[in-house]
Structure formats: C-alpha cells, structure tokens
C-alpha cells in the first residue's frame, strides 16, 4: 500500500485543506505505516509556479507549510515529507507522460477552465499541463491511495486515464509500468465551503480572509469569523434532510461534525431547533479547542528554518530512491536510450 498526496505551498493552511485532506493524511499515516505501508506527502511547489508568484513568498510559504503539516500531525520519521523541487523525477516523468496525455483531456479539466478564465491565450503552459504533473506525482510512487478533497477528484481520474493509456500503449499486460490510484475523499468534509458564500469552496485564493479559518488564526479571530459567517434566519433542522437548500447551514454543521469526530445526524440531534445564536458560539469553541494546540506548535516550529530545511532534505532523499525504479521503467518502456 502506497499513500501519496500533495498540497500547494501558496498560503496559509486553512480549514478546507485540513478537514478535506490533511486530517486523512495523518489518519492514514497513523493507521497504515505501522502495518508496513509507505506514506509520501509533498509540497507541490512545482505546481505553484503555474500561476503568477513572488519567488520570496514561495520559499517562505514552502517552509511554513512544512511547519503546518508537522504541527497537524505529519511525522517526518514515519511519513516521507518533501517538496517536488528536490525530486527531479517529478518533472522528468511529467515530460514522459506529456506524450500520453491528450489535449482534449486537459481541455475538459474544470480547474483549468476556472483558473484560465477567458484569458486562455495568456495562461501559462504550466497551468494547462498541471494535471499531467499531478499524474506524475502519484504514478511515480505506484500510489494506491490518494487522500484529497473533492476538488481534486477530476485530476485523479485523469491520472488513472494517463496510467491506463501508458500501460496499454507501452507495457505488456502482465507487467504494467503504473498502478491505477484510488482517491480517498472524506464523506462529510469533501468540500468545505466559504464562510461568506455557501456556493464557493473555502480557498486560499479568496481575497476575503473572513471567508476561511486559517490554522494560524488566534481564538478571537476564529470566534469573530464564525460569528460573521453567512447563515439564514431559520433555526437548525432536526434531521439532515432539513439542510437541503441551506448550503451555509449545511457547511457549518458539516464542519462541526467532522471536527467533533461525529456525524451530521448526531450534531442535529444536539442542536436541532436551536438558532445560530446558540450554534455558532459552540462551533467557535470547538474550533478553538481543536486548532489551538496545532497553531501553538506551528508558531514554535516555523521559527527553526534549519530544522524545516533538514526535514525536506531528508524526505527528498528517501523519495528520490523510491522514484527511481518507476522512472527507469517508464524511460525504458518508451524506448529511450540512456
Ligand atoms: P491544494 O493545495 O489546493 O489543496 C490541498 C488539499 O486540500 C484539499 N482542499 C479542500 N478539501 C475540502 N474543502 C475545501 N474547501 C478544500 N480546499 C482544498 C484539496 O482537495 C487537496 O487535497 N493540485 C493539488 C495539489 C497536488 C496533489 C498532487 C494532490 C499536486 N499534486 C498529487 C494529490 C496528489 C492542489 O492544488 O491542492
């Protein structure tokens, strides 16, 4: 079993990242490494250059994201934690897979359509081929499971298509070069929504900081953001069906359930019939209680740049060793002489 996933170091870790992905990264690490599985978690710094960026901020954000992941429970002794830029095999395999991926497949990607918007001619080539690099990220390590939020599902389907076509075109049936990876998406936190708009996902790129809870937010900020979160005037329903058509209410209840380690039905048993005036302070308290220890560790860890760089260096060394056999097999399958 190989568990592989990545996050872009483009800003603060927010609640969507945490509940949609990182909590599962930690859970899978805790459950599976003890049974011999390998977990590889990386900072997708090569993906981060597909959009306009400040080099100095990218370097700072990369180190801060390592500190954030470790403070959330990623243990660099049990998981392989690294950044793509220190493992050249990611970029190499992407080029090899560019021969297999089809323009039509990439043209259908919703992230490409959203991020390029109307200005496709002005978008970077990297933004277009972004999903091929993402396919390389997981195929390189023969990933079997990829814990992600719902928004990455389409990219993983593409990774499977790329793997399948490459295997069909260049490998024999009994010796495929790549494993087809399965996405692992948390049922209640697949898509955490913005606190200001129940139809938009919580995102680093939202210009309003009030739209998201960041790992680094202090208790007062968290309480204020939850208090100001958009809701409707109705009290909470008694059952999950009552959340239909109430995206903001559904989002807050989903956050509560996931954070408390329970389900939506139990949260509604407790809070059904109550107004947001009662529910919001309870949600704020729960978030503060769960996030504060991580935020405290984060503030400590981020100070030691040497230690953070050492984590990435060691992780990259292990990742390079694991990547080599698959990369070699891909070169060979394509008939490239080295
Ligand atoms: P990124 O950096 O946007 O997000 C990191 C992880 O957080 C999840 N996520 C969410 N989950 C639920 N609700 C939300 N509002 C929310 N926002 C973000 C994402 O689904 C993701 O799992 N392309 C990827 C990084 C990547 C990657 C990979 C992931 C590069 N290569 C290979 C998996 C495997 C990205 O930009 O994630």
């Amino acid at each position: 079993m190989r568990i592989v996933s990545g996050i872009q170091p483009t800003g603060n870790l927010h609640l969507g990242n945490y509940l949609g992905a990182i909590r599962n990264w930690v859970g899978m690490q805790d459950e599976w490494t003890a049974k011999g599985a390998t977990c590889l978690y990386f900072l997708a710094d090569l993906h981060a250059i597909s959009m306009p960026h400040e080099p100095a901020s990218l370097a700072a954000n990369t180190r801060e994201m390592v500190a954030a992941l470790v403070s959330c429970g990623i243990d660099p002794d049990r998981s392989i934690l690294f950044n793509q830029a220190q493992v050249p095999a990611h970029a190499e395999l992407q080029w090899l897979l560019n021969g297999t991926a089809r323009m039509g497949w990439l043209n259908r990607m919703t992230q490409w359509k959203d991020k390029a918007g109307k200005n496709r001619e002005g978008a970077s080539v990297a933004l277009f081929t972004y999903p091929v690099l993402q396919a390389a990220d997981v195929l390189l390590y023969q990933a079997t499971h990829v814990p992600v939020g719902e928004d990455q599902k389409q990219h993983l389907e593409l990774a499977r298509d790329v793997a399948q076509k490459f295997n069909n075109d260049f490998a024999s049936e009994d010796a495929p070069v790549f494993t087809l990876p399965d996405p692992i998406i948390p049922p209640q936190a697949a898509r955490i929504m913005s606190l200001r708009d129940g139809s938009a996902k919580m995102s680093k790129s939202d210009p309003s900081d009030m739209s998201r809870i960041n790992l680094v937010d202090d208790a007062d900020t968290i309480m204020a953001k939850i208090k100001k979160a958009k809701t409707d005037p109705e009290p909470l329903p008694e059952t999950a069906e009552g959340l239909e058509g109430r995206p903001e209410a559904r989002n807050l209840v989903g956050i509560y359930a996931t954070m408390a380690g329970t389900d939506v039905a139990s949260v509604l048993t407790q809070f059904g019939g109550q107004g947001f005036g009662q529910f919001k302070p309870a949600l704020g308290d729960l978030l503060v209680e769960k996030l504060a220890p991580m935020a405290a560790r984060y503030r400590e860890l981020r100070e030691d740049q040497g230690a953070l760089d050492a984590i990435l260096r060691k992780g990259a060394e292990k990742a390079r060793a694991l990547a080599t056999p698959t990369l070699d097999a891909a070169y060979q399958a394509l008939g490239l002489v080295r």
Side-chain angles (χ1 to χ4, degrees):
M1 192 160 160
R2 278 277 167 85
I3 297 145
V4 180
S5 199
I7 182 166
Q8 289 198 63
T10 43
N12 289 325
L13 188 78
H14 59 70
L15 197 62
N17 300 132
Y18 179 68
L19 295 180
I22 311 306
R23 239 170 69 103
N24 259 351
W25 294 14
V26 175
M28 294 182 90
Q29 161 196 277
D30 292 349
E31 183 172 357
W32 294 107
T33 55
K35 298 177 186 158
T38 306
C39 292
L40 294 112
Y41 299 128
F42 62 85
L43 310 179
D45 48 4
L46 295 183
H47 279 111
I49 64 168
S50 61
M51 293 293 277
H53 81 285
E54 285 286 335
S57 318
L58 179 57
N61 287 340
T62 299
R63 295 186 174 106
E64 284 176 6
M65 191 58 85
V66 184
L69 294 176
V70 173
S71 53
C72 289
I74 300 298
D75 172 1
D77 290 327
R78 282 184 291 158
S79 293
I80 301 179
L81 180 56
F82 65 102
N83 58 322
Q84 287 166 324
Q86 296 200 66
V87 185
H90 288 249
E92 278 183 80
L93 184 61
Q94 181 193 16
W95 183 256
L96 302 188
L97 298 180
N98 276 340
T100 295
R102 306 287 94 184
M103 295 283 284
W105 299 356
L106 296 178
N107 262 325
R108 283 196 286 279
M109 294 290 114
T110 53
Q111 180 184 288
W112 156 247
K113 290 191 247 179
D114 290 349
K115 288 203 175 167
K118 291 202 173 68
N119 183 24
R120 288 200 180 185
E121 294 292 310
S124 74
V125 173
L127 190 63
F128 187 66
T129 61
Y130 179 117
V132 187
L133 177 59
Q134 185 158 343
D137 293 337
V138 295
L139 301 182
L140 192 53
Y141 302 105
Q142 308 288 345
T144 53
H145 299 80
V146 184
V148 285
E150 169 89 20
D151 61 342
Q152 296 303 316
K153 197 170 160 207
Q154 194 186 32
H155 285 160
L156 288 174
E157 280 160 6
L158 183 119
R160 290 174 66 93
D161 290 344
V162 169
Q164 198 147 34
K165 180 165 167 54
F166 190 103
N167 286 342
N168 280 341
D169 292 353
F170 303 112
S172 64
E173 220 166 283
D174 49 340
V177 174
F178 298 119
T179 304
L180 269 53
D182 281 320
I184 304 292
I185 298 172
Q188 287 182 153
R191 204 174 157 76
I192 302 293
M193 308 312 277
S194 156
L195 300 179
R196 309 298 290 166
D197 173 0
S199 67
K201 72 171 181 188
M202 187 178 286
S203 148
K204 297 175 215 189
S205 52
D206 191 316
S208 166
D209 197 54
M210 293 303 282
S211 70
R212 63 186 159 258
I213 305 279
N214 302 302
L215 176 70
V216 295
D217 287 344
D218 59 27
D220 290 347
T221 309
I222 293 175
M223 294 309 276
K225 285 178 175 178
I226 294 295
K227 198 167 159 210
K228 289 233 168 80
K230 188 176 165 199
T231 46
D232 54 42
E234 302 298 317
L236 284 172
E238 310 278 346
T239 62
E241 293 76 60
L243 291 170
E244 291 292 327
R246 298 178 65 186
E248 287 86 9
R250 174 202 290 271
N251 189 41
L252 295 186
V253 172
I255 291 174
Y256 190 104
T258 315
M259 263 303 180
T262 171
D263 55 25
V264 167
S266 316
V267 177
L268 293 177
T269 308
Q270 193 181 343
F271 291 100
Q274 298 185 23
F276 286 98
Q278 284 148 303
F279 179 64
K280 278 180 165 181
L283 174 60
D285 284 342
L286 177 68
L287 286 168
V288 169
E289 179 201 324
K290 299 279 183 188
L291 296 180
M294 291 187 249
R297 270 200 301 279
Y298 169 76
R299 287 194 194 92
E300 223 173 277
L301 286 171
R302 65 179 289 191
E303 297 304 318
D304 193 347
Q305 191 182 313
L308 299 173
D309 286 351
I311 289 174
L312 291 181
R313 211 168 36 242
K314 273 194 222 151
E317 206 173 300
K318 293 184 208 160
R320 284 195 297 267
L322 287 180
T324 303
T326 302
L327 186 66
D328 286 348
Y331 272 111
Q332 198 185 353
L334 291 167
L336 293 159
V337 178
R338 300 159 87 203

